[in-house]
């Protein structure tokens, strides 16, 4: 999901350079697409008013772009637009993540996908990562969870819908601080770029 206005950052978070000094001009968006492309069938980017700015990156990376025409309704509206597109493309599960952070480690995504396979066999609907007791992204959702999000009132949010189906969600502890990282301000981004963990990736 990449439809946010990035008002606190002052520029589009999806297009922040990543890695910070990447000579190839990588961004949060391109890095996330590449990460997901390696382990999923296809990648769908949900854009808002920034669709024209994101298009070159999305298409250069071989992803699909869908526009949320009402991004002012909040993140849940973008989630629903993206998940409806997932179903329209004939898929019945999705990895949902945000573009306001670097992608998680490949091993983390591997762990979540394996946990989802196991959880589905136990009739669970979704897998959510945890780090230091906090829930984060990416979230892996099956068709039942997708339909629950789509059926919910537009005024809801993802947390409320997950809470209703709490017993059908598997929480997986991972050793990856990026699952709970939020980059909302220039100060957050500067701190991320100077952190030792960033240099290790």
């Amino acid at each position: 999901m990449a439809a946010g206005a990035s008002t606190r950052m002052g520029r589009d978070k999806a297009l922040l350079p990543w890695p910070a000094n990447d000579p190839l001009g990588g961004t949060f968006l391109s890095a996330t697409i590449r990460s997901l492309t390696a382990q999923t069938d296809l990648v769908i980017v949900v854009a808002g008013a920034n669709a024209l700015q994101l298009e070159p990156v999305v298409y250069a990376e071989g992803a699909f772009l869908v526009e949320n025409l009402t991004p002012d309704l909040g993140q849940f509206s973008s989630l629903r637009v993206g998940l409806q597109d997932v179903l329209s493309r004939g898929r019945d599960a999705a990895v949902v993540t945000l573009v306001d952070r670097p992608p998680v480690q490949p091993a983390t995504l591997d762990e979540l996908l394996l946990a989802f396979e196991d959880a589905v066999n136990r009739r669970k609907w979704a897998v959510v990562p945890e780090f230091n007791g906090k829930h984060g992204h990416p979230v892996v959702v099956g068709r039942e969870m997708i339909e629950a999000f789509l059926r919910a009132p537009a005024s809801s949010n993802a947390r409320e819908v997950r809470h209703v189906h709490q017993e059908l969600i598997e929480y997986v502890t991972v050793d990856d601080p990026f699952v709970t990282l939020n980059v909302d301000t220039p100060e957050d981004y500067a701190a991320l770029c100077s952190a030792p963990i960033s240099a290790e990736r």
Side-chain angles (χ1 to χ4, degrees):
M1 294 189 291
S6 304
T7 51
R8 283 186 287 172
M9 180 62 67
R11 55 177 171 153
D12 198 324
K13 289 186 281 188
L15 300 178
L16 288 172
W18 190 259
N21 299 308
D22 183 8
L24 300 178
T27 61
F28 276 178
L29 178 58
S30 63
T32 299
I33 294 173
R34 289 173 193 171
S35 169
L36 293 173
T37 298
Q39 300 184 67
T40 61
D41 289 342
L42 55 87
V43 177
I44 300 165
V45 177
V46 182
N50 58 351
L52 285 176
Q53 287 72 45
L54 301 190
E55 267 185 2
V57 177
V58 173
Y59 296 141
E61 297 294 340
F64 297 90
L65 183 73
V66 60
E67 187 174 352
N68 178 4
L69 299 178
T70 56
D72 52 304
L73 295 181
Q75 194 178 90
F76 191 59
S77 66
S78 290
L79 175 64
R80 287 156 58 97
V81 167
L83 292 178
Q84 185 61 65
D85 202 56
V86 167
L87 296 183
S88 297
R89 293 180 189 275
R91 303 316 196 268
D92 58 7
V95 178
V96 179
T97 195
L98 308 175
V99 79
D100 62 352
R101 65 193 69 189
V104 297
Q105 300 174 55
T108 302
L109 189 51
D110 272 338
E111 187 175 352
L112 293 172
L113 292 172
L114 287 172
F116 178 71
E117 287 183 23
D118 179 63
V120 166
N121 290 333
R122 292 181 284 106
R123 300 187 183 279
K124 299 280 189 174
W125 289 7
V127 163
V128 176
E130 285 185 336
F131 179 77
N132 281 351
K134 291 177 61 179
H135 301 157
H137 288 84
V139 173
V140 189
V141 294
R143 188 176 189 97
E144 295 89 346
M145 194 77 238
I146 291 174
E147 290 178 347
F149 283 133
L150 295 177
R151 284 195 308 266
S155 57
S156 299
N157 61 53
R159 183 175 299 175
E160 290 171 352
V161 178
R162 289 207 312 257
H163 182 72
V164 171
H165 304 287
Q166 192 74 31
E167 74 283 0
L168 296 167
I169 298 173
E170 186 92 357
Y171 294 94
V172 178
T173 300
V174 298
D175 184 21
D176 190 337
F178 281 8
V179 301
T180 56
L181 182 71
N182 287 313
V183 180
D184 292 323
T185 66
E187 292 75 21
D188 292 340
Y189 179 61
L192 170 67
C193 293
S194 63
I197 191 169
S198 300
E200 295 169 3
R201 299 214 170 199

